[in-house]
Structures are given as structure tokens and as C-alpha cells.
Amino acid sequence: MNDEQLLAQIREANMTYLMLAQSLIRKDKAEALFRLGMSEEAADMITALSPAQIMRIASSNMLLCRFRVDDDIVWNLLTNHSTNKVDNDATTKLHASILMAGRFAEAV
């Protein structure tokens, strides 16, 4: 993959992310804040963006979204690679969601 292809994929990811974020926020703001891991102020700014502004912001060469999972505990739960293997995939995903929700609440 060359640099131009990489930049095109970043722009596409940015566009998709902004459109998804705007849609989620308009549908259910509280749920969107949790799912996207963003502040209410950021959500208000994204909601107010016009299509032209979204296009301009999305065409940046910097990826706008980022991984919120930044520790081994949650990654191990999501991938079920922990030393304490659990046969129930739903249980491990629920545990990861609870941990992420707690971190979101702490950040707000």
C-alpha cells in the first residue's frame, strides 16, 4: 500500500466515523456519548457540522477516531486471551463492557 492509498483510507475512515457519530448523536445523545467515548461538547459540535464541514474535516491526513481500549485487561477480555479462560463469550464481552463503562464514567 502506498502513501496515497493510505491517506485515501484515512479520509474514508474519517468520513464514515463523522457520519456515524452524527447519526448516533441525533438518534440518542446519551447512548452516543457512551458508545463514542466523547464529551457532550464534542457531540454538540459534531451534530452542528454541515456536510461541507464534514467533508473538509474528513479530508485531514490525521485519523479522527482512536481506540479507547488501552490496557491488557480489556483487550484480553475482548479477545478471550486471558489466563482464566471462560467458555461463555457473552460473559467476557459483558465484563469488558462494564470495565469500559466504568472508565467512561470516570472520564466524565
Side-chain angles (χ1 to χ4, degrees), residues 11-75:
R11 287 189 293 269
E12 183 177 339
N14 285 341
M15 176 68 75
T16 302
Y17 177 74
L18 287 170
M19 291 172 55
L20 173 65
Q22 203 173 55
S23 176
L24 286 172
I25 295 164
R26 287 179 177 159
K27 180 180 176 200
D28 185 339
K29 188 175 182 180
E31 183 177 347
L33 295 178
F34 169 71
R35 290 192 184 279
L36 298 169
M38 67 174 54
S39 69
E40 192 166 345
E41 294 79 17
D44 290 340
M45 284 190 283
I46 290 173
T47 302
L49 292 174
S50 69
Q53 289 172 313
I54 288 177
M55 292 283 291
R56 190 169 51 249
I57 294 168
S59 61
S60 166
N61 63 355
M62 181 175 53
L63 193 60
L64 297 175
C65 59
R66 67 180 176 91
F67 284 106
R68 291 187 298 151
V69 180
D70 58 358
D71 62 30
D72 290 341
I73 294 171
V74 178
W75 276 115

Side-chain angles (χ1 to χ4, degrees), residues 51-101:
Q53 289 172 313
I54 288 177
M55 292 283 291
R56 190 169 51 249
I57 294 168
S59 61
S60 166
N61 63 355
M62 181 175 53
L63 193 60
L64 297 175
C65 59
R66 67 180 176 91
F67 284 106
R68 291 187 298 151
V69 180
D70 58 358
D71 62 30
D72 290 341
I73 294 171
V74 178
W75 276 115
N76 286 334
L77 287 167
L78 291 172
T79 60
N80 204 16
H81 282 99
S82 65
T83 55
N84 301 325
K85 294 277 186 197
V86 176
D87 290 334
N88 188 341
D89 191 45
T91 303
T92 58
K93 299 243 187 295
L94 177 62
H95 189 190
S97 295
I98 291 168
L99 288 173
M100 294 286 289

